[in-house]
Amino acid sequence: MTINLKVWRQKNNADKGRLETYVVKDVSPDMSFLEMFDVLNERLITEGKEPIAFDHDCREGICGMCSMFINGRPHGPKQGITTCQLHMRSFNDGDTVVVEPWRAAAFPVIKDLVVNRSAFDRVISAGGFVSVNTGNAKDANNILIPKPDADDAFNAAACIGCGACVAACKNSSAMLFVSAKVSQFALLPQGQVERAERVEKMVAQMDEEGFGNCTNTGACEAECPKSISLENIARMNREYLSAKLLANKK
């Protein structure tokens, strides 16, 4: 296969940036999208040119590092997968593929396709954890948790923090990410002590980072590689309202 790439190149956050065109030949349909970039970078290095900077780590759909906007969609044309799980057989010989970084004020470009997602880390640091002593690890089924709650908590915890929800949202909202992190603790006994404080702090930090507001277009859920449900946003809104009502009673 031959793939015509149009890749966003940007030296740093101060640079204006531009799209550059590369023709990648002899692409195997069984290559992952990142492996195709590896082949291109090897060629660029051999030619004495600057390789394309992009994030990657596990390449198994777990870490969430491989954040690329491919032909206008976060992680590419397939649903329920990350960029590293996207294979070149998803494209046709001779296709033109446009690759860009996440576009959000809260995710400034570091270089080329690499963006700074430390805003997510600061949201987690604001309250996305359990700091109280909940005792040692218990045996399975020792703490009785309704099956629906356990399932919902597990599904929410599947969020890998890749930022696709922010990239897909026209408002660059982080509501799906934050609500997933709020939900995974709000649904379990260990998270009850800090329940109200957690949601207030995390929402406040989210707003401080400059993420936009949610207008319920559903693009975040549609593009999430882990299919995190919009129900988490509704749950977080309820949690936030309850926290504010509780605070007003004190």
Side-chain angles (χ1 to χ4, degrees):
M1 295 173 61
T2 296
I3 300 295
N4 301 304
L5 283 180
K6 289 188 176 181
V7 183
W8 186 260
R9 302 303 304 268
Q10 188 171 343
K11 291 182 179 180
N12 50 52
N13 189 245
D15 184 34
K16 185 177 180 179
R18 73 282 177 198
L19 284 170
E20 290 191 0
T21 301
Y22 303 92
V23 178
V24 189
K25 298 181 179 180
D26 298 324
V27 175
S28 168
D30 295 325
M31 282 183 179
S32 73
F33 200 81
L34 296 190
E35 288 172 333
M36 182 270 297
F37 260 90
D38 290 337
V39 170
L40 173 57
N41 275 345
E42 287 179 6
R43 192 189 84 193
L44 292 176
I45 292 170
T46 301
E47 295 172 353
K49 298 177 181 178
E50 184 77 14
I52 299 165
F54 63 94
D55 265 334
H56 63 94
D57 192 0
C58 73
R59 299 201 178 198
E60 295 179 347
I62 298 171
C63 70
M65 294 287 287
C66 55
S67 50
M68 294 183 186
F69 222 87
I70 303 169
N71 283 347
R73 293 187 63 179
H75 293 301
K78 300 293 185 179
Q79 285 189 300
I81 61 172
T82 53
T83 303
C84 61
Q85 296 173 304
L86 177 67
H87 289 86
M88 297 312 298
R89 55 179 171 268
S90 302
F91 304 93
N92 297 315
D93 184 29
D95 274 359
T96 295
V97 181
V98 181
V99 188
E100 299 174 87
W102 289 167
R103 301 293 190 182
F107 288 163
V109 173
I110 297 175
K111 184 177 182 180
D112 296 339
L113 304 175
V114 180
V115 299
N116 186 342
R117 289 174 295 171
S118 60
F120 272 7
D121 296 331
R122 290 188 289 273
V123 170
I124 294 297
S125 295
F129 50 83
V130 174
S131 64
V132 296
N133 186 357
T134 58
N136 297 327
K138 304 293 182 181
D139 291 335
N141 300 321
N142 194 30
I143 299 177
L144 298 180
I145 302 172
K147 184 65 163 56
D149 289 349
D151 288 344
D152 287 344
F154 184 85
N155 291 334
C159 171
I160 56 177
C162 67
C165 52
V166 176
C169 179
K170 65 179 183 178
N171 306 320
S172 297
S173 172
M175 287 285 280
L176 192 67
F177 165 77
V178 178
S179 66
K181 300 307 178 184
V182 167
S183 293
Q184 71 182 71
F185 293 120
L187 289 163
L188 299 177
Q190 294 90 337
Q192 300 310 303
V193 176
E194 298 166 300
R195 188 172 181 172
E197 179 184 3
R198 175 182 302 109
V199 68
E200 285 188 290
K201 286 185 175 180
M202 293 183 73
V203 170
Q205 188 65 41
M206 174 182 68
D207 291 341
E208 185 178 332
E209 296 294 339
F211 291 107
N213 294 319
C214 175
T215 49
N216 293 310
T217 62
C220 54
E221 180 183 29
E223 300 295 354
C224 175
K226 298 302 177 182
S227 302
I228 303 298
S229 174
L230 285 174
E231 291 179 2
N232 289 297
I233 296 179
R235 181 179 296 107
M236 187 179 77
N237 287 336
R238 294 192 297 270
E239 292 288 324
Y240 188 76
L241 178 59
S242 296
K244 287 300 183 183
L245 292 174
L246 182 63
N248 290 335
K249 290 182 179 179
K250 292 181 180 179

